[in-house]
Amino acid sequence: MLKVEAEKIMKLKCNATQRFISDYIDDTLSTKDAEKVEEHLRFCKTCRHEVAALRKTRDLVVGYYVEPKVPDNYYHQFEVELHRCIENKGPTPLYERLNTSVGQFTWSFLTRVRQSFGRYSFISRNLLPLGTLFLLIVTGIVGMSIYKQYVPPHSDHFSTRAGKPVIAQELNTDNDKSEVLQGIYNDYITKRKAPGELSSTNLATDTEKAGYWKLAEPLTTETEGHIIVMHISNDRSVPSDDANSELIVYAQPDILSNKSPLQDDDYAAFPLELHVAHYLEQYPRKYRKSLQVVDEMMNVPSEILTISESYEFSKL
Amino acid sequence: MERTEALLIDHLREGDETALAPLVDKYKRMVHRLALQITKNHEDANDVMQETFIKVYQSIHTFRQEAAFETWVYKIAVNEALNFVKRRERRRESPLSNAQEIDFDLSVRQQAEMVNDPQIHAEKAELRRWVTKAVNSLSLKHRIVVILHELEGLTHAEIASILNCSEGTVRSRLHYARKQLRTLLKPYVDANSNI
């Protein structure tokens, strides 16, 4: 009868109490749960016995568990060994150092920001990913700018075959090149205005100057190149549009270094024509053959070249 | 001038290697004790302790001050010790032979008892052996909880953080481990001795 009454009063049954016993003996239960357990224990001898047994077990473990014995001088030897081990690891790999540096920087950055904006929990919670993202973006931008600075831009309009230079690279408008090309161009202009002065003497003089003629206008990205068509032989009767008798010089590195693109015995290395070529424009049909020569000799696809001006020998 | 722990951590984070020694000095016993209790092997415990402090040194920049440094060190040590045990199990090496060789470290009080009352000392020595054996016979996951809670005095929340599990799991494991220990230590638990 008493037991039935007690069970009515008890809010917890034995099974439920068992779950709380461990926390009860550790005093980690809430006041409300602890009261429920105590109420149960007042009427339940089995659970009381269980609590006492577990409490004693805990006390035995805490009081009688023996820590393993450590040999004398063990920790000192360990510290020496640890120090040696850290030193022997040698220089930390670059990526680890970078990782550490970024970590240290991020940490100090976050700490300072957190101190400043500590009350904005959203910011402080998301600072690590945001800070990391920010660093990645900055690193990417710096990397791209460095890459662009040292790697020349690649042009889709020109190709490199058999180790020949990519023409687009040769057409960068630096001052030296412009100066060289300008001289060549001026020389052509002069001869164009006074064709009657051309003679064998002048021819020899011109031949000596073969490598020093310059173009008047600097090359730009729009003016992709100046095609200088030269007669290899001294025979001026050869038509200028005969590709077999011409040498196409297209901003050759030799010219840029003040050397003649022709050999010393190419006596008649005389400028015969000068074409100012623009790419991505339609070119007149009559220049197509010259452009084929350009294609063959200079590895420049003729399809992308256009001749906008022409100075022919016959006019000089 | 003695540096506080927070200051030492800051210095270590900034790359000051000298800040490691005081931290090692403070936590070496704790780490070694934990490592030995988990691995039950002197050599492994030594390696665990070394790896733990090397990791502390190398990963200090990842330490967030939201948790206590002590808990962080515990976490590294427990993980390292568990890795060693797993590796050893993969190699199918039995730790029992080594565990039996571990000597007991008697405190000054215990040594005095041994001199004054050999009979009580003998009884207590036997009890110590039983208790230690009982704890060591628990499964790894239960033993770790008992070690961290009963012997190291960590809270459920701290243990949950170290073991990457919920507090409920920690409570459950602790309760189960205590019941196991109660069974293993039944003669001593039920006896009304004056021990």
Side-chain angles (χ1 to χ4, degrees), chain B residues 155-172:
Chain B
T155 65
H156 295 143
E158 286 170 335
I159 298 170
S161 163
I162 290 168
L163 299 179
N164 280 330
C165 62
S166 69
E167 281 188 52
T169 304
V170 173
R171 288 169 199 272
S172 168

Side-chain angles (χ1 to χ4, degrees), chain B residues 4-186:
Chain B
T4 63
E5 184 172 286
L7 203 59
L8 288 169
I9 292 166
D10 281 345
H11 287 175
L12 195 60
R13 192 178 275 136
E14 288 161 7
D16 179 6
E17 203 177 302
T18 61
L20 182 66
L23 291 171
V24 170
D25 191 49
K26 184 175 180 181
Y27 291 106
K28 62 190 177 190
R29 284 178 181 79
M30 178 198 88
V31 171
H32 183 252
R33 186 173 62 228
L34 193 64
L36 200 50
Q37 283 160 350
I38 293 175
T39 61
K40 296 192 277 187
N41 180 301
H42 277 299
E43 278 184 24
D44 285 354
N46 192 51
D47 289 346
V48 166
M49 186 158 65
Q50 196 171 77
E51 288 299 318
T52 298
F53 285 114
I54 287 174
K55 197 158 274 186
V56 165
Y57 174 68
Q58 289 179 334
S59 311
I60 189 68
H61 61 277
T62 65
F63 168 63
R64 305 279 170 262
Q65 285 175 336
E66 293 148 5
F69 182 70
E70 186 187 45
T71 310
W72 189 66
V73 176
Y74 265 121
K75 189 168 187 168
I76 294 175
V78 167
N79 285 330
E80 285 296 322
L82 287 175
N83 286 338
F84 263 83
V85 172
K86 284 175 189 168
R87 276 203 291 265
R88 192 174 57 198
E89 282 174 355
R90 275 202 293 273
R91 294 197 304 264
R92 295 181 180 177
E93 289 178 10
S94 170
L96 292 177
S97 56
N98 288 319
Q100 287 162 355
E101 290 170 6
I102 294 174
D103 295 328
F104 299 126
D105 191 14
L106 299 180
S107 65
V108 176
R109 183 176 60 83
Q110 289 164 347
Q111 288 174 15
E113 280 173 2
M114 186 171 68
V115 175
N116 296 332
D117 196 336
Q119 189 181 347
I120 290 180
H121 169 73
E123 287 175 8
K124 287 189 176 181
E126 181 65 15
L127 177 57
R128 284 185 199 106
R129 259 192 293 277
W130 266 103
V131 170
T132 307
K133 198 173 179 180
V135 171
N136 286 338
S137 69
L138 292 173
S139 69
L140 188 58
K141 65 180 181 182
H142 293 109
R143 192 166 79 242
I144 288 176
V145 175
V146 168
I147 289 166
L148 293 177
H149 188 268
E150 312 287 40
L151 306 176
E152 301 295 330
L154 299 185
T155 65
H156 295 143
E158 286 170 335
I159 298 170
S161 163
I162 290 168
L163 299 179
N164 280 330
C165 62
S166 69
E167 281 188 52
T169 304
V170 173
R171 288 169 199 272
S172 168
R173 286 181 186 174
L174 185 61
H175 182 61
Y176 179 85
R178 278 173 174 166
K179 291 188 86 168
Q180 285 282 102
L181 288 171
R182 188 208 158 178
T183 308
L184 293 167
L185 300 172
K186 194 171 183 357

Side-chain angles (χ1 to χ4, degrees), chain A residues 33-280:
Chain A
D33 288 338
E35 283 173 359
K36 283 181 189 174
V37 172
E38 281 169 1
E39 189 181 66
H40 178 88
L41 293 178
R42 272 207 304 275
F43 297 99
C44 182
K45 190 179 176 183
T46 312
C47 288
R48 264 205 314 275
H49 181 71
E50 180 74 8
V51 168
L54 286 181
R55 192 170 268 153
K56 189 163 184 182
T57 303
R58 182 198 62 182
D59 293 343
L60 283 173
V61 170
V62 172
Y64 290 92
Y65 182 85
V66 180
E67 289 183 13
K69 190 177 181 180
V70 177
D72 294 339
N73 210 24
Y74 172 79
Y75 289 120
H76 176 69
Q77 284 177 355
F78 167 75
E79 284 173 23
V80 172
E81 182 72 12
L82 178 69
H83 186 70
R84 191 181 60 80
C85 191
I86 287 176
E87 281 193 339
N88 284 354
K89 277 197 174 281
T92 316
L94 182 62
Y95 70 91
E96 278 187 22
R97 275 185 284 156
L98 193 64
N99 187 25
T100 308
S101 304
V102 170
Q104 286 171 353
F105 172 77
T106 309
W107 173 256
S108 58
F109 173 73
L110 292 180
T111 306
R112 284 179 190 175
V113 176
R114 191 177 286 141
Q115 285 167 355
S116 307
F117 302 99
R119 52 185 169 165
Y120 299 107
S121 58
F122 171 79
I123 296 175
S124 58
R125 268 203 313 272
N126 294 286
L127 270 178
L128 181 62
L130 288 174
T132 310
L133 184 65
F134 172 76
L135 282 175
L136 283 174
I137 291 170
V138 169
T139 310
I141 291 171
V142 171
M144 283 298 291
S145 57
I146 291 172
Y147 178 80
K148 282 180 180 173
Q149 190 177 349
Y150 288 103
V151 178
H154 175 73
S155 171
D156 291 337
H157 303 299
F158 301 100
S159 61
T160 304
R161 283 184 290 183
K164 298 225 173 183
V166 176
I167 299 303
Q169 290 178 356
E170 301 303 330
L171 298 176
N172 287 338
T173 55
D174 58 270
N175 291 333
D176 291 342
K177 187 188 293 181
S178 298
E179 191 181 349
V180 171
L181 295 175
Q182 193 169 14
I184 296 172
Y185 192 48
N186 285 337
D187 204 70
Y188 274 99
I189 297 298
T190 305
K191 294 192 184 317
R192 186 186 175 196
K193 286 177 180 174
E197 292 178 7
L198 281 172
S199 64
S200 59
T201 311
N202 288 337
L203 191 65
T205 310
D206 291 338
T207 305
E208 288 171 5
K209 292 164 67 181
Y212 303 94
W213 294 321
K214 298 179 182 180
L215 297 174
E217 295 176 5
L219 296 177
T220 65
T221 52
E222 291 177 356
T223 306
E224 187 61 33
H226 294 70
I227 302 171
I228 306 166
V229 185
M230 296 180 179
H231 270 290
I232 295 177
S233 73
N234 196 21
D235 184 2
R236 295 184 183 181
S237 63
V238 178
S240 63
D241 57 350
D242 186 347
N244 292 328
S245 63
E246 295 169 351
L247 175 64
I248 311 297
V249 181
Y250 190 99
Q252 282 271 42
D254 289 336
I255 286 180
L256 300 178
S257 60
N258 289 341
K259 289 180 182 175
S260 168
L262 307 175
Q263 301 299 318
D264 291 340
D265 54 352
D266 293 330
Y267 174 75
F270 184 78
L272 182 64
E273 295 182 39
L274 186 142
H275 304 292
V276 181
H278 295 267
Y279 68 94
L280 293 180

